[in-house]
Amino acid sequence: MQGNELKTLKVDFDAEMLNSEPESKLAVTVDPHVPSNFMAAEMGEFGSAPTMTLLHLVGESNVTNLFTHLKRARFAAEKLWPEVRRIYEYYLEGDWARFNASGANLLREEWQPAHTCHERSLAAHRAVEIVLAQIVDDRHLATARFLLRYQRKHYAALRNPKYRSFIGKEIDSGTIGLLQRYTFDTLELFISKFDSWEMGQLRRLIPDERHSLLNEPFRVTVRDAV
């Protein structure tokens, strides 16, 4: 690829024919979200080869961890989320028969049939939490710390009679349902754009001593960690 501006950009593909069945096809693999140095003039400069650059950033000892995380997150976004989205849609619509059936089908023995308003809310948000935790990496200390703090605040609020009374009124007025719909739509957008931000988690995955490598060459392509 040559050229620093769109009007002068030129891309040449040079690939060997793959011997595959039932017919041979030309194949080119391009991932625009892997960190690259757009200003690299030739191969061999740091940042010119995206895959090698990515492996250099994380370090040889951390490659397996990187691939494990990316594979786990992608599975959650592409395979689990559609099922959880269906569960939450049933929750928002108040279709409790399909809500419980979908939850049991996905989570098996982890799913407990919900009958009260509070049980249904916990079950729905627990399903969402399972997917989000895998996408943002719940094995990382920062994520675990956030989830723990959020859980403490949630249960502390539920022990407050004034808070429970306030929530009850908000549920009766329909405000909570509308807020849940807005929040759910935001999560849907967040997960549907997974490809555009997943590499932003590099700052969590690479060793501290390699963070300086993310500075100038990758300022355009690598975002802050989610």
Side-chain angles (χ1 to χ4, degrees), residues 22-158:
E23 60 181 3
S24 298
K25 296 181 180 180
L26 289 174
V28 177
T29 300
V30 178
D31 186 346
H33 304 299
V34 173
S36 299
N37 181 1
F38 293 163
M39 303 305 293
E42 60 184 21
M43 292 298 290
E45 291 187 41
F46 182 56
S48 59
T51 302
M52 293 303 297
T53 300
L54 181 60
L55 299 182
H56 180 70
L57 286 170
V58 300
E60 182 178 353
S61 62
N62 204 31
V63 169
T64 300
N65 181 45
L66 168 69
F67 289 151
T68 298
H69 166 71
L70 294 178
K71 181 179 180 180
R72 182 172 180 250
R74 182 165 295 280
F75 175 80
E78 296 180 353
K79 302 299 182 181
L80 293 183
W81 176 245
E83 299 297 325
V84 171
R85 180 173 57 201
R86 182 179 297 110
I87 294 173
Y88 205 88
E89 287 286 358
Y90 288 143
Y91 168 73
L92 292 175
E93 295 298 325
D95 189 338
W96 305 127
R98 289 187 174 90
F99 172 73
N100 277 308
S102 298
N105 182 63
L106 176 64
L107 300 178
R108 306 297 180 180
E109 64 275 2
E110 292 186 31
W111 181 266
Q112 297 296 326
H115 304 289
T116 68
C117 178
H118 183 62
E119 288 176 345
R120 290 163 180 162
S121 178
L122 284 178
H125 291 97
R126 173 56 180 161
V128 172
E129 178 190 355
I130 290 174
V131 175
L132 290 180
Q134 294 187 37
I135 291 177
V136 300
D137 189 13
D138 57 337
R139 299 174 181 176
H140 192 279
L141 181 60
T143 304
R145 185 185 300 115
F146 169 79
L147 292 175
L148 179 60
R149 290 176 177 174
Y150 179 83
Q151 186 182 57
R152 286 176 177 173
K153 291 179 180 179
H154 172 67
Y155 286 118
L158 290 179

